[in-house]
């Protein structure tokens, strides 16, 4: 990577910030280790996209209090990202542009979706904006980022995975690294901010 792989942002590019919500940050109910590190990292990409008037999407977990993924309902997670609570709000320091499109997912008790494409109009919105190449970062590498990237590729988008703007839950050590490997194998290209042309 570096000077030999300069990526020029262009029309057809869109940025997707995946689930950068308080509950996934340190102090949150489902804190991702170093989850807060994605905020300044994503802000650099957000600034680059805003400077070129390129579209930005932000997905969010938007669960009801009795969501099926919570332990009380037989799921595997502590309660997190309950709609309209502070834990579900985007990280306050995340510099989303006013025009960012918010995609809420897994908002009914009986359905979960790690992917921003599951049960949402994300694909339709992207196609309406003629997006072709998706720059994807956020939380968590081994769950919602992985599944969003997988669906994006299945739907025919080119995916650039923002390796410096993702962090993993790592329920099992190595989950994050394995997810990165799988995304690469599926055709995602892992990039860092320095790979963008100035
Ligand atoms: C996520 C676990 C449960 C994620 C969402 O955003 O990666 N992880 N719900
Ligand atoms: Zn969730």
């Amino acid at each position: 990577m570096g000077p030999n792989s300069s990526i020029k942002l262009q029309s057809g590019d869109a940025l997707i910030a995946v689930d950068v919500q308080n509950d996934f940050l340190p102090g949150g109910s489902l804190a991702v280790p170093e989850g807060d590190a994605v905020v300044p990292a994503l802000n650099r990409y957000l600034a680059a996209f805003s400077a070129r008037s390129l579209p930005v999407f932000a997905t969010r977990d938007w669960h009801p209090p009795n969501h099926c993924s919570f332990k009380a309902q037989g799921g595997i997670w502590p309660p997190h990202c309950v709609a309209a609570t502070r834990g579900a709000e985007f990280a306050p320091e995340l510099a989303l542009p006013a025009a960012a499109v918010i995609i809420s997912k897994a908002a009914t008790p009986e359905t979960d979706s790690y992917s921003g494409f599951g049960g949402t109009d994300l694909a339709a919105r992207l196609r309406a904006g003629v997006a072709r190449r998706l720059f994807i970062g956020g939380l968590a590498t081994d769950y919602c980022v992985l599944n969003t990237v997988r669906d994006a590729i299945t739907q025919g988008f080119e995916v650039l995975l923002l390796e410096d703007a993702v962090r993993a839950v790592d329920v099992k050590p190595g989950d994050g690294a394995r997810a990165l490997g799988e995304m690469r194998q599926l055709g995602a290209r892992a990039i860092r901010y320095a790979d963008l042309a100035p």
Side-chain angles (χ1 to χ4, degrees):
M1 292 303 182
N4 295 325
S5 62
S6 265
I7 295 159
K8 199 168 155 41
L9 293 180
Q10 58 198 30
S11 152
D13 291 343
L15 179 62
I16 303 182
V18 175
D19 297 12
V20 186
Q21 295 169 269
N22 288 325
D23 271 342
F24 296 128
L25 303 188
S29 66
L30 182 32
V32 175
E34 297 178 8
D36 52 337
V38 306
V39 175
L42 278 170
N43 282 347
R44 297 195 294 178
Y45 292 100
L46 285 163
F49 273 70
S50 289
R52 293 163 180 84
S53 299
L54 291 168
V56 171
F57 295 76
T59 67
R60 63 184 182 186
D61 245 6
W62 201 244
H63 299 323
N66 60 341
H67 191 247
C68 59
S69 75
F70 299 170
K71 283 172 182 162
Q73 278 67 240
I76 63 170
W77 303 113
H80 62 277
C81 300
V82 172
T85 65
R86 202 193 119 66
E89 287 172 15
F90 291 119
E93 304 297 310
L94 186 68
L96 290 175
V101 177
I102 310 302
I103 303 289
S104 302
K105 63 186 172 65
T108 59
E110 307 305 331
T111 52
D112 199 12
S113 177
Y114 291 136
S115 166
F117 289 92
T120 73
D121 61 356
L122 177 56
R125 297 274 206 143
L126 289 167
R127 295 211 173 89
V130 207
R132 190 180 60 74
R133 199 164 66 155
L134 307 183
F135 292 64
I136 300 179
L139 301 170
T141 313
D142 37 358
Y143 291 92
C144 289
V145 172
L146 170 63
N147 284 274
T148 299
V149 164
R150 223 189 241 143
D151 281 353
I153 291 169
T154 301
Q155 301 252 2
F157 296 101
E158 184 180 336
V159 172
L160 304 191
L161 189 273
L162 310 179
E163 198 174 6
D164 51 353
V166 295
R167 288 296 185 280
V169 183
D170 275 334
V171 170
K172 228 184 332 141
D175 280 354
R178 278 188 290 276
L180 276 176
E182 180 178 343
M183 291 187 275
R184 281 201 167 102
Q185 188 132 16
L186 292 170
R189 174 177 176 194
I191 69 162
R192 305 186 149 265
Y193 185 76
D195 297 326
L196 295 189

